[in-house]
Amino acid sequence: MSIYDHIDQMRLDALKEMGNIGAGNAATSISMMLDKKVDINVPDVKLIPLSKLWEIFEDPEEVVSGAMIGVGGDLSGAILFLMHSESIKKLLELMMLPRPEDLTQLDEITRSAIGELGNIMCSSYVVSLSNFTGMNIHSLPPNVVVDMIAAIVSEVSLITTEGDDYIILIETNMKVEDNIDISGYIIYIPDQESIMRIFKQIGLEIKDE
Amino acid sequence: MNKKIIGIGEYAASSGDAILVTLGLGSCVGVCIRDKKNMIGGMVHVMLPDSGGKENAKPGKYADTGLMLVLDEMKKIGSSSFNLEAKIAGGAAMFGNSSKTMDIGQRNIEAVKNMLKKNNIKIISEDVGGNRARSIEYSISSGELMIKKVGGGEKVELFKI
C-alpha cells in the first residue's frame, strides 16, 4: 500500500489551499513587477498515475516555454512555471525586453530573463509554502526549458519522484489582465517524502500501517 | 486506423495495421520492435535503465524488465524470436546535465542497447540524445517510425526513420 491510497478529499483540499496561497503570492510579485492586475484561478490538485499523465493535457504536444525551479531544504520536488509561446513573448515585452523571434533559439539575455521570471514567481511560492507549513524551504536556481508540455511535465515528475508510479500536481492558471492575453501555469510537483512531511506538519499525518 | 497510445512505463504489442504511439519522451526511450515476416510489432516506453532485480508493480518502466515483457507479449500473438528488428528514439537531456538528473537519458540508451544486443535484436535506426523531447508513432505494417520534435521556429518537426 502506498501513501497515495491514504490521500482523501480532505488532504487533497489541504494541498489545494497550499497551492492557492503559493500561487497567490507568486501572482502578487509578478503583478508588482509589471504594475498590472494578475488573476489566478482556484488550483487544481491532480493525483494521477504517471502512465496516464499525457491524458490531462488538451494538446500534449503544445510547445511551451518556462522554467523549472527545484525546491530544497525540508521539502523537495520542483515548481514549474510554464507559458504559451505568445504569452511569454508579450510578457518579455512588458518587461522592456526585445521580443524574441524564435524561442527555440534563445539568446543569453532572453534565457536569463525567463529564468528570472520563473525565479521570482517560484520564490514567492516557496516563501509562502514555508510560512504555511513552518518548514525551512528554499528554491534552487532555475532551468529554462522550451519544449512540448507533456514532455516537460513528465520529465520533471520523473526527476522529482525518481520513478514513482503516482504523481501529485498542484496546478494553477494565472492571467495578466488589462486586455493583454497573457496566461500561464504554475505547477508544483512534490515527491512522496515531501507530501508526507507536509501532511505531518499541518496535522493530517499519514500513519504507517 | 488503429492507434494505440502507450503511457510512461507501459508497453503493447499488436499486429497488422496498428500504429503504436507514445508522447513526451524526454529522457525516456521508446523501443520499437518488429517481426517483419509475421507483421507483429511492439513498443515499450522505458523510463529508467535498471530494475535492480526487484519485484515491481510496473516492470514496464525499466529497460531490462520492460523489454522482456514486450517480447513476451509479441510472442503471445505469434511473433518469432528471430529476425527481429528494432528502432529506438528518446534519451534526451531536456534540462542539460544537471547533477539531479544524472544523465538518465544516456543511461537509458545504453541499457536499451545492451538489452537488445543480449536478445540478438538488431537496431536498424535510431534517433537518440540531444536536448529535445520526442513523440513517436510506429507503424507495424510499414515499420516506419515517425518522430515529432520541437525544432527551429517554434514548430514541431516531423521526420521518419
Side-chain angles (χ1 to χ4, degrees):
Chain A
M1 221 166 157
S2 78
I3 67 156
Y4 298 105
D5 299 316
H6 293 281
I7 296 180
D8 49 13
Q9 196 54 49
M10 189 164 71
R11 292 195 169 93
L12 280 178
D13 283 343
L15 292 178
K16 211 180 263 187
E17 183 50 26
M18 199 182 77
N20 203 9
I21 296 171
N25 271 288
T28 307
S29 37
I30 202 125
S31 163
M32 265 160 42
M33 189 177 72
L34 299 173
D35 199 16
K36 298 229 185 304
K37 208 174 146 196
V38 177
D39 277 345
I40 57 163
N41 72 340
V42 179
D44 201 1
V45 176
K46 293 189 177 97
L47 169 69
I48 36 170
L50 200 49
S51 56
K52 298 271 177 265
L53 184 63
W54 59 272
E55 289 177 1
I56 66 168
F57 303 104
E58 236 169 85
D59 177 8
E61 286 168 356
E62 185 186 357
V63 180
V64 292
S65 320
M68 172 189 79
I69 285 99
V71 178
D74 290 341
L75 291 182
S76 50
I79 300 176
L80 268 170
F81 159 64
L82 296 175
M83 285 194 137
H84 306 288
S85 304
E86 199 45 41
S87 290
I88 197 103
K89 286 182 186 176
K90 282 187 182 154
L91 195 56
L92 288 169
E93 275 181 315
L94 281 179
M95 291 167 71
M96 313 289 170
L97 283 160
R99 180 189 167 91
E101 278 314 310
D102 185 351
L103 287 171
T104 48
Q105 315 275 331
L106 289 175
D107 56 52
E108 211 40 57
I109 291 181
T110 319
R111 175 172 285 272
S112 133
I114 296 176
E116 194 47 34
L117 264 173
N119 219 355
I120 292 169
M121 308 239 353
C122 300
S123 312
S124 356
Y125 197 110
V126 164
V127 166
S128 57
L129 227 106
S130 170
N131 290 337
F132 180 66
T133 57
M135 281 189 273
N136 177 16
I137 324 165
H138 57 261
S139 57
L140 303 170
N143 279 303
V144 175
V145 63
V146 180
D147 219 314
M148 295 183 269
I149 187 160
I152 297 178
V153 178
S154 48
E155 189 66 18
V156 173
S157 313
L158 187 68
I159 297 170
T160 57
T161 65
E162 280 158 10
D164 269 354
D165 292 334
Y166 281 88
I167 56 162
I168 289 183
L169 300 178
I170 305 167
E171 184 191 322
T172 320
N173 292 3
M174 61 152 230
K175 216 177 174 118
V176 177
E177 278 217 333
D178 203 20
N179 297 330
I180 325 167
D181 189 22
I182 302 178
S183 61
Y185 312 92
I186 311 171
I187 307 174
Y188 176 38
I189 308 175
D191 65 346
Q192 192 165 326
E193 180 86 29
S194 300
I195 296 274
M196 299 280 268
R197 288 203 182 141
I198 292 170
F199 285 143
K200 189 174 176 191
Q201 204 69 19
I202 58 176
L204 293 169
E205 190 179 357
I206 295 173
K207 299 235 166 38
D208 261 336
E209 65 281 344
Chain B
M1 214 171 340
N2 175 9
K3 263 195 194 183
K4 186 167 175 26
I5 300 186
I6 295 162
I8 299 172
E10 293 185 328
Y11 59 93
S14 196
S15 58
D17 67 345
I19 292 187
L20 301 173
V21 181
T22 196
L23 305 169
L25 286 166
S27 60
C28 300
V29 177
V31 188
C32 312
I33 305 168
R34 188 163 86 115
D35 174 353
K36 211 159 141 185
K37 216 173 88 201
N38 296 314
M39 281 290 181
I40 287 167
M43 186 193 273
V44 57
H45 186 140
V46 170
M47 188 162 103
L48 294 166
D50 188 15
S51 67
K54 275 180 284 185
E55 281 283 315
N56 192 283
K58 270 229 172 258
K61 287 199 298 206
Y62 304 99
D64 52 348
T65 45
L67 202 71
M68 296 322 288
L69 280 170
V70 75
L71 288 175
D72 275 351
E73 202 68 19
M74 285 171 67
K75 259 179 227 163
K76 268 185 216 159
I77 54 172
S79 148
S80 90
S81 315
F82 308 102
N83 298 319
L84 295 175
E85 55 177 44
K87 292 187 176 183
I88 63 173
M94 284 172 72
F95 295 98
N97 290 329
S98 59
S99 59
K100 216 178 173 187
T101 59
M102 295 172 298
D103 211 358
I104 290 179
Q106 206 54 45
R107 279 165 50 207
N108 278 339
I109 299 168
E110 276 162 30
V112 163
K113 284 187 174 169
N114 275 338
M115 274 312 279
L116 287 170
K117 204 172 170 188
K118 253 190 219 163
N119 289 283
N120 288 319
I121 302 171
K122 209 173 134 205
I123 298 176
I124 53 172
S125 62
E126 61 175 53
D127 179 45
V128 292
N131 52 18
R132 295 272 181 232
R134 297 166 174 88
S135 280
I136 57 173
E137 291 193 7
Y138 189 49
S139 157
I140 292 170
S141 55
S142 69
E144 276 173 358
L145 184 61
M146 294 287 284
I147 299 179
K148 279 190 226 168
K149 202 168 18 173
V150 177
E154 296 162 30
K155 297 262 163 22
V156 176
E157 276 175 4
L158 194 67
F159 58 97
K160 242 182 245 173
I161 64 166

